[in-house]
């Protein structure tokens, strides 16, 4: 089994993703057998009445939303770790989470109508806040025509801290919305139906596609920026493209699913320890692995304390941190960083 896993990384992660996706659709207050799901999706045996509604209008769009979120966070985390050559880098390092949180909390403090505009006001504000924060961090870190990685990280930490403090202040000023804001900050993909999927899809597809074509450039950047420049790589242009692409995908994920930590940190690390650090292979593997991992975490969040739904960000933290520490201790001798 171990040799099969090592020799067939894409088959292994694809099987995990398909299994997790079926599990996510099958489990819930009403169990739907996987064979009936297969037949219904292929149009061979349509489900009737309530089961049809549960499958196509509730669980399927929710599973697709979680799949896109996990893939976006893990692919972005892989790109950030490769770009910054820092194993602690993740999609939230340069202010995406704090900016999105500030945007969402600002919107929650307002009494929006319960129409389509009000429904999308929080994710739209979170998305705008994330992108605006990244733009400010990039502008602050820019020195002439270059953007030193160290300055970028320091600017990200400073702006993130400022945005987090401002979010806390706003939450304290609007106590009636405090619970809703905290639930969003813990991550939960509370939106339902196909509309969030359709709204999120273009940003995630554009961001992930750009990242998938940057594997060779990320490999060259591992030699150091000066060496990469001597090898003919337009370092500053590549850095800008990678930051925009990774931030776009991660910001869309955060805007529609809330803050979900550790997927962008743990998944790239785990896959790198198993299959090595070649980004041409690591990026697509992270996409598949991140989606599978978040689907499993979401199933646990929905079924561990029925009828309550635990925010999935709590599950990823509770499971991700011990697993990451165990993996780090077990395989630290193989770390390539």
């Amino acid at each position: 089994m171990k040799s099969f896993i090592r020799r067939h990384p894409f088959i292994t992660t694809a099987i995990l993703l398909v299994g997790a996706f079926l599990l996510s659709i099958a489990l819930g207050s009403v169990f739907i057998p996987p064979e009936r799901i297969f037949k219904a999706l292929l149009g061979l045996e349509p489900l009737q009445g309530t089961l049809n509604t549960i499958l196509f209008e509730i669980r399927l769009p929710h599973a697709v939303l979680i799949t896109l979120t996990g893939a976006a966070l893990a692919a972005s985390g892989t790109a950030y770790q490769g770009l910054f050559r820092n194993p602690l880098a993740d999609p939230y390092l340069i202010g995406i989470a704090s900016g999105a949180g500030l945007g969402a909390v600002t919107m929650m403090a307002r009494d929006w109508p319960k129409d389509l505009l009000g429904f999308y006001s929080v994710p739209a504000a979170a998305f705008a806040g994330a992108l605006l924060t990244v733009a400010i961090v990039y502008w602050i870190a820019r020195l002439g025509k270059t953007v030193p990685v160290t300055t970028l990280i320091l600017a990200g930490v400073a702006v993130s801290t400022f945005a987090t403090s401002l979010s806390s202040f706003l939450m304290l000023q609007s106590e009636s919305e405090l619970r809703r804001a905290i639930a969003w900050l813990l991550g939960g993909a509370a939106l339902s139906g196909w509309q969030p999927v359709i709204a999120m899809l273009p940003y995630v597809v554009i961001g992930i596609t750009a990242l998938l074509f940057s594997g060779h450039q990320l490999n060259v950047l591992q030699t150091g920026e000066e060496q990469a420049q001597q090898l003919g790589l337009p370092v500053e242009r590549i850095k800008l493209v990678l930051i925009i692409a990774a931030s776009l995908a991660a910001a869309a994920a955060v805007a529609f699913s809330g803050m979900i930590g550790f997927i962008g940190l743990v998944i790239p690390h785990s896959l790198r320890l198993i299959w090595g650090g070649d980004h041409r292979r690591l990026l697509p593997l992270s996409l598949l692995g991140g989606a599978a991992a978040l689907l499993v975490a979401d199933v646990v969040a929905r079924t561990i304390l029925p009828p309550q739904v635990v925010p999935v960000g709590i599950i990823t933290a509770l499971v991700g941190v011990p697993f990451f520490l165990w993996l780090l201790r077990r395989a630290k001798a193989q770390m390539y960083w």
Side-chain angles (χ1 to χ4, degrees):
M1 177 62 84
K2 284 185 178 178
S3 60
F4 177 85
I5 291 174
R6 285 197 174 275
R7 280 186 291 142
H8 302 287
F10 288 103
I11 295 177
T12 302
T13 50
I15 290 173
L16 289 174
L17 176 56
V18 172
F21 192 82
L22 285 175
L23 193 69
S24 174
I25 297 175
L27 295 183
S29 56
V30 177
F31 176 71
I32 306 176
E35 62 270 21
R36 296 195 68 183
I37 295 173
F38 261 126
K39 291 178 180 177
L41 292 178
L42 296 175
L44 301 176
E45 182 186 323
L47 297 175
Q48 301 299 320
T50 306
L51 277 183
N52 190 65
T53 303
I54 292 174
L55 175 60
F56 287 104
E57 296 183 19
I58 299 176
R59 292 191 189 169
L60 189 57
H62 180 79
V64 174
L65 185 69
I66 291 293
T67 301
L68 291 174
T69 301
L73 292 177
S76 300
T78 306
Y80 280 128
Q81 290 177 11
L83 175 62
F84 298 137
R85 290 187 294 140
N86 186 334
L88 297 178
D90 74 352
Y92 302 151
L93 182 67
I94 57 175
I96 291 176
S98 55
L102 179 58
V105 170
T106 302
M107 198 54 64
M108 286 176 193
R110 305 176 68 87
D111 185 21
W112 279 85
K114 305 300 181 186
D115 57 9
L116 189 62
L117 179 61
F119 181 74
Y120 279 116
S121 61
V122 172
F127 187 63
L131 293 184
L132 181 62
T133 305
V134 172
I136 292 173
V137 169
Y138 194 86
W139 175 72
I140 292 173
R142 189 175 182 85
L143 296 174
K145 294 183 178 180
T146 64
V147 181
V149 170
T150 305
T151 310
L152 191 69
I153 294 175
L154 289 174
V157 171
V159 174
S160 294
T161 305
F162 180 80
T164 301
S165 301
L166 202 53
S167 297
S168 302
F169 176 77
L170 290 174
M171 283 194 291
L172 290 174
Q173 295 300 308
S174 55
E175 294 181 1
S176 61
E177 296 294 338
L178 187 60
R179 184 179 177 84
R180 185 183 172 205
I182 291 176
W184 187 89
L185 292 173
L186 291 174
L191 299 177
S192 60
W194 287 105
Q195 287 184 342
V197 176
I198 295 170
M200 175 186 180
L201 191 62
Y203 304 105
V204 173
V205 169
I206 292 172
I208 286 180
T209 302
L211 293 179
L212 289 177
F213 282 102
S214 64
H216 172 68
Q217 288 87 346
L218 281 169
N219 284 346
V220 177
L221 282 173
Q222 304 314 298
T223 62
E225 291 187 17
E226 289 185 7
Q227 183 70 20
Q229 209 149 18
Q230 290 173 1
L231 292 173
L233 192 73
V235 173
E236 295 305 322
R237 193 173 69 194
I238 294 296
K239 283 163 61 179
L240 179 61
V241 170
L242 284 171
I243 289 173
I244 291 175
S247 301
L248 190 67
V254 172
F256 287 93
S257 299
M259 293 190 193
I260 301 172
F262 292 99
I263 293 295
L265 178 66
V266 172
I267 298 302
H269 253 308
S270 305
L271 299 179
R272 186 181 294 112
L273 290 170
I274 299 172
W275 288 299
D278 187 341
H279 288 86
R280 292 170 297 182
R281 183 169 60 175
L282 188 59
L283 280 164
L285 287 177
S286 296
L287 188 150
L288 297 172
L294 191 56
L295 281 167
V296 173
D298 180 67
V299 169
V300 175
R302 288 190 286 114
T303 57
I304 192 171
L305 289 174
Q308 295 182 10
V309 177
V310 179
V312 71
I314 293 178
I315 302 299
T316 58
L318 291 176
V319 177
V321 172
F323 176 74
F324 177 67
L325 293 176
W326 171 80
L327 201 63
L328 192 64
R329 180 173 177 76
R330 181 174 177 270
K332 62 183 179 181
Q334 302 173 21
M335 297 281 284
Y336 89 100
W337 296 100

